[in-house]
Amino acid sequence: MTANGRGRIRRSMLFVPGNNPSMIQTCPIYGADSIILDLEDSVAVSQKDAARRLVVHAILELDFGGAEIAVRINSPLTEEGQKDIETLMEAAPSVFVVPKVESAEEILDLDSKLSAVPIGLLPILETPKGVLHGEEIASSCPRVWALSFGAEDYATAMGVERTRAGRELFTARSLVAMQAKASGVAALDTVFADVNDEEGLRNDTKEAISLGFEGKYAISPRQVGIINDLFTPQPAEIEKAKQILETYRSGVERGIGAIALDGRMIDAPVVQRAERVLALAQAAGLLGGGME
């Protein structure tokens, strides 16, 4: 299994209940970079078998446009999770979103079960133990394409109330973002639970960006546009990124090792950030025909 899914843009990842056929059919129109067909929390135990069949049918038969198709399975440590894995391997979605991961061994065991089936893994860290083992989980195998944080279960495990300001989550969110970056994978942020609070979603997303997250889960189509907008670079950022890359390439062609733009040195991290800005701009359709 290669790590070729690690570079994919995932500004917004929209959860869609796996037992809701009408929402599954319409979800591509909302513009999420990834669609997560959910078999875990949004599906009652009595409906899980039917949801699995519906999700397999949807993956094999529906056109989701350019969106990445992911499935949130139940924990592989549970009977329902084992059924999810066995049922979905043939349909082969792009990604399994794996809840409540607490150790690298869980990921390695799942990697072994998937064998040669090309399905990437996005572990969600939702417990204190999981958060503390984030780096080893993210580094456990190339199939791990990103690391994500799950706030609701984390708050429950900590015995604290999740607040609008989110102070109780700051340390855990920061650790997950840091562990993802240390392992060379993307960091994806938790959901914002109040679908009627747009200002709160904006503030929460800005906080996620400031901590180093590269995308965020959404639980309502109404949240997708806000999240995409905030993770999409503004025109001034795009123009600056172009200038940086042009200046850097010019320096390389002339054999200049140290080069500056507007008095600021352009080194490898600056170039990488500029490339990331243009990749995001391209994903958002802001660069016309291709990467510039």
Side-chain angles (χ1 to χ4, degrees), residues 6 46 113 197:
R6 291 185 172 181
S46 61
K113 286 186 172 65
D197 184 358

Side-chain angles (χ1 to χ4, degrees), residues 1-2 5 13 94 96 115-116 129-130 152 170 174 176 180 183 188 195 207 209-210 216 221 232 236 255 267:
M1 186 70 189
T2 66
M13 301 188 73
S94 298
F96 278 164
S115 185
K129 183 178 178 181
E152 298 299 332
F170 179 80
S174 300
V176 172
S183 306
L188 305 173
V195 298
E207 174 83 354
I209 293 170
S210 74
K216 187 172 181 63
T232 299
D267 53 16

